[in-house]
Amino acid sequence: MDIVDLRSDTVTFPTAEMRAAMAEAVVGDDVYGEDPTINRLEELAAAKFGKEAALFVPSGTMSNLAAVLAHCGRGDEVILGDKAHTVLFEAGGISALGGVHSRQIPNQLDGTLALEDILSVIRSEDVHHPISRLIALENTHNRCGGVALNESYTRAIGDLARAHGLFVHLDGARLFNAAVALQVEARVLAEPVDSVSFCLSKGLCAPVGSLLCGSGEFIYRARRIRKQLGGGMRQAGVLAAAGIVALETMIDRLEQDHARARNLAAGLANIPGLILDPGTPFTNMVFLELDRTIPIGAARIAESCGRQGVRVGVVSQRRFRLVTHYWIDDRGIERAVEAFKQAVQEAMI
Ligand code: TLP
């Protein structure tokens, strides 16, 4: 049975074109700066975001960690949302490995941080206080439903940060999804920030890797931190080759994933017992819950879907996240809707 895997876009496999590029890749020792394929990918990424330089890292988690460590010293404070990936899903790396203190403020439903909330937590000079150093945003915002943060909001944060001597880091793991949804160039969404991280290995389908982009001096520091973290790879041009294909061919098609997410939401909305989040999907993620008429939890519904060959993400007791991507076609969407229908019917027996 073909599996329809909607748990995440991290489950995507490389395309045939990527595998061919990987086989052909010219490589060298990247810790010596001698891997031509990585150098090309880094140049491409920096140019795409209008930044001076970029750094290829193994994961989005390492990219965010290296960024925070390159901006902040021990005891400095980063202001970020309480639903940020860095807060929820990065194993506390910024505090465990960087000694960086997180100041968490509420994420609004639209993924933003309220400007007045940020202003209210910026520290004054006082021996009791950590030093406010960085604001971190996430676009699209994963736990806020895959919602995109727009250009004017990002500019407002950039202005606020500069007025208070703070840096801004953007976790743009899915920034191209945001750009496609908002119909703007990704560089516009990254222009107001000092550093931006984006992932090749999610909707863009490359097997491994993320890029951190920023000023030349910032990336130089991040490169040392990547080494400290054990992320200096050697002939990783085989991975970068897939990343180049991802950047050159996989961005514009993300709209297809968004359209399929809309079809999926429309199909699920007709099933009694399922409540879709208001506005979902914003990009490639559908969030939904079980209402009180369903006598079992999300884990058991997911088991039933799994038996039907459909894997779904369970994010809490009664809540799901379904993520569309390159390997989900129209039939996959139909099968997912059928699987939920059957799972809910079984639950009512
Ligand atoms: N997110 C994963 C899980 O960790 C939740 C997913 O399935 O969505 N930033 C954001 C906004 C992310 O969503 C993720 C991955 C990362 C960073 C980390 O990327 P990786 O997995 O490459 O370390």
Side-chain angles (χ1 to χ4, degrees), residues 47-122:
K48 232 178 171 47
F49 287 99
K51 303 290 183 201
E52 280 173 12
L55 180 70
F56 184 51
V57 288
S59 67
T61 299
M62 189 184 286
S63 196
N64 286 334
L65 178 58
V68 173
L69 269 54
H71 284 301
C72 303
R74 296 185 73 79
D76 285 354
E77 196 163 69
V78 50
I79 299 167
L80 75 187
D82 58 355
K83 296 193 181 65
H85 192 275
T86 297
V87 169
L88 296 178
F89 302 119
E90 293 175 15
I94 59 168
S95 50
L97 304 173
V100 176
H101 194 240
S102 73
R103 189 74 187 269
Q104 298 165 29
I105 58 178
N107 271 116
Q108 305 300 305
L109 286 175
D110 64 358
T112 60
L113 306 175
L115 269 61
E116 55 275 22
D117 287 348
I118 297 178
L119 286 170
S120 75
V121 297
I122 295 175

Side-chain angles (χ1 to χ4, degrees), residues 8 10 59-61 64 85 90 138 142 171 173-174 202 321:
S8 183
T10 61
S59 67
T61 299
N64 286 334
H85 192 275
E90 293 175 15
E138 186 175 315
N142 188 337
D171 175 355
R174 297 182 181 83
K202 299 193 168 58
R321 182 188 73 160

Side-chain angles (χ1 to χ4, degrees), residues 257-319:
D257 300 340
H258 300 178
R260 289 201 172 96
R262 292 194 287 273
N263 292 342
L264 176 60
L268 295 171
N270 290 325
I271 303 176
L274 302 183
I275 312 171
L276 276 76
D277 277 14
T280 196
F282 301 102
T283 52
N284 67 333
M285 297 182 181
V286 177
F287 278 82
L288 64 146
E289 286 184 4
L290 300 172
D291 77 10
R292 281 191 293 179
T293 63
I294 309 289
I296 60 174
R300 294 216 12 232
I301 295 282
E303 273 165 32
S304 167
C305 290
R307 283 193 294 276
Q308 300 171 67
V310 175
R311 292 192 181 147
V312 301
V314 172
V315 294
S316 66
Q317 291 255 320
R318 300 185 71 77
R319 196 165 161 73

